[in-house]
């Protein structure tokens, strides 16, 4: 598959969690890995990543879609809305409407569009409401993927059991780490039918964690990552 691949979205697509100081933004990510393999399959292929961490859906739509389409991409990946799901005070209905309009705009360009469900991250019970919002969002993404199946390829991230292993996640438990991004790249290339040279090194035995250590880790995670994140969002 040659042509131009443009990736748009938030931290998931920018590559947060796959830390690499050799890159200007400090990360690499699955999209860069996919693009490299596309270039090996076709040296004339090109790539642009417009994704910016922390962007809400409206920001991605307003800032990235038209510049991306102005490049006349053959393949465009669109993952956005995850940051909106984390805002319980935000009504999900308008978010889904905005997402629908964005998909319709992307599909109208004639490009092949990659859409993603969101993974059902194992969360502390206090965060259970966010999982229900994620389920509703995923159902909506799948509906749109079926509606526009001639142009849309669904990356059903939600169904991939490999991500139930905590070693696929960065310390904040919300972003994939290097292993997670690499596995994502492999799956996307397989879905696209692109021959590639990426391999996923199997993990060793899982670390055994006792109940006391598990609770301690959860408390520290809530203190370091969850409470500050929600404090910023409420402010």
């Amino acid at each position: 598959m040659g042509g131009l691949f443009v990736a748009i979205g938030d931290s998931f697509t920018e590559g947060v969690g796959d830390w690499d100081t050799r890159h200007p933004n400090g990360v690499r990510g699955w999209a860069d890995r996919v693009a490299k393999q596309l270039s090996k399959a076709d040296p004339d292929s090109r790539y642009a990543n417009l994704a910016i961490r922390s962007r809400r859906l409206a920001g991605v739509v307003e800032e990235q879609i038209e510049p991306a389409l102005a490049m006349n991409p053959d393949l465009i990946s669109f993952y956005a809305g995850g940051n909106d799901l984390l805002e319980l005070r935000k009504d999900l209905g308008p978010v889904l409407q905005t997402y629908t309009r964005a998909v319709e705009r992307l599909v109208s360009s004639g490009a092949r569009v990659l859409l993603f469900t969101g993974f059902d991250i194992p969360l502390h019970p206090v965060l259970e409401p966010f999982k229900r919002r994620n389920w509703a969002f995923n159902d909506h993404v799948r509906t749109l993927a079926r509606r526009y199946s001639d142009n849309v390829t669904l990356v059903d991230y939600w169904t991939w059991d490999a991500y139930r292993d905590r070693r696929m996640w960065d310390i904040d438990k919300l972003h994939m780490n290097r292993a997670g991004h690499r596995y994502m790249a492999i799956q996307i290339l397989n879905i696209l039918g692109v021959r590639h040279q990426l391999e996923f090194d199997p993990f060793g035995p899982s670390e055994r964690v006792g109940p006391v250590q598990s609770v301690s880790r959860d408390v520290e995670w809530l203190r370091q990552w969850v409470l500050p994140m929600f404090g910023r969002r409420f402010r």
Side-chain angles (χ1 to χ4, degrees):
M1 177 182 292
L4 173 63
F5 166 38
V6 179
I8 63 175
D10 53 26
S11 56
F12 170 84
T13 302
E14 185 188 347
V16 170
D18 186 6
W19 307 107
D20 191 332
T21 57
R22 295 172 298 176
H23 292 249
N25 60 346
V27 295
R28 187 178 184 190
W30 65 265
D32 281 17
R33 296 172 186 275
V34 167
K36 182 174 181 179
Q37 297 302 314
L38 291 175
S39 71
K40 289 183 176 181
D42 182 351
D44 293 329
S45 67
R46 295 169 296 137
Y47 165 61
N49 191 333
L50 307 185
I52 301 176
R53 67 192 71 179
S54 299
R55 282 296 191 269
R56 273 56 164 187
L57 175 61
V60 174
V61 171
E62 294 168 6
E63 302 167 11
Q64 299 177 28
I65 286 185
E66 293 307 322
L69 295 182
M71 301 180 195
N72 296 315
D74 300 277
L75 174 68
I76 185 164
S77 68
F78 177 55
Y79 185 111
N83 291 312
D84 301 83
L85 297 180
L86 292 174
E87 298 181 4
L88 277 177
R89 295 185 298 176
K90 178 177 287 188
D91 185 1
L92 191 57
V95 173
L96 298 182
Q97 292 174 4
T98 301
Y99 185 90
T100 298
R101 290 193 295 270
V103 170
E104 291 171 347
R105 177 69 184 102
L106 294 171
V107 168
S108 71
S109 71
R112 168 60 50 180
V113 180
L114 292 179
L115 297 183
F116 300 76
T117 54
F119 189 70
D120 196 18
I121 300 172
L123 293 176
H124 190 278
V126 73
L127 302 180
E128 191 69 24
F130 298 104
K131 298 182 72 171
R132 290 195 291 271
R133 286 166 67 86
N134 188 40
W135 298 338
F137 178 81
N138 286 347
D139 286 343
H140 190 70
V141 173
R142 292 189 183 102
T143 297
L144 290 174
R146 289 192 296 268
R147 183 183 304 169
Y148 299 108
S149 58
D150 289 344
N151 293 84
V152 168
T153 296
L154 178 64
V155 180
D156 205 350
Y157 186 19
W158 186 85
T159 65
W160 296 348
D161 287 339
Y163 286 97
R164 301 197 181 281
D165 192 311
R166 66 178 185 81
R167 291 168 295 178
M168 298 286 267
W169 299 94
D170 200 16
I171 191 171
D172 63 2
K173 299 186 181 181
L174 294 174
H175 295 98
M176 300 179 294
N177 60 17
R178 179 168 297 178
H181 279 278
R182 187 177 182 86
Y183 187 83
M184 175 64 65
I186 291 171
Q187 295 305 309
I188 290 174
L189 289 163
N190 290 341
I191 289 171
L192 294 174
V194 176
R195 296 182 63 182
H196 61 86
Q197 300 172 354
L198 295 182
E199 295 181 358
F200 187 75
D201 296 327
F203 292 123
S206 297
E207 179 184 359
R208 299 181 68 86
V209 178
V212 175
Q213 187 178 6
S214 178
V215 170
S216 176
R217 286 184 175 182
D218 279 348
V219 169
E220 186 64 15
W221 171 66
L222 287 168
R223 185 185 70 81
Q224 285 195 9
W225 298 100
V226 178
L227 295 179
M229 177 181 69
F230 285 110
R232 290 193 299 269
R233 292 181 185 279
F234 277 115
R235 288 195 297 272

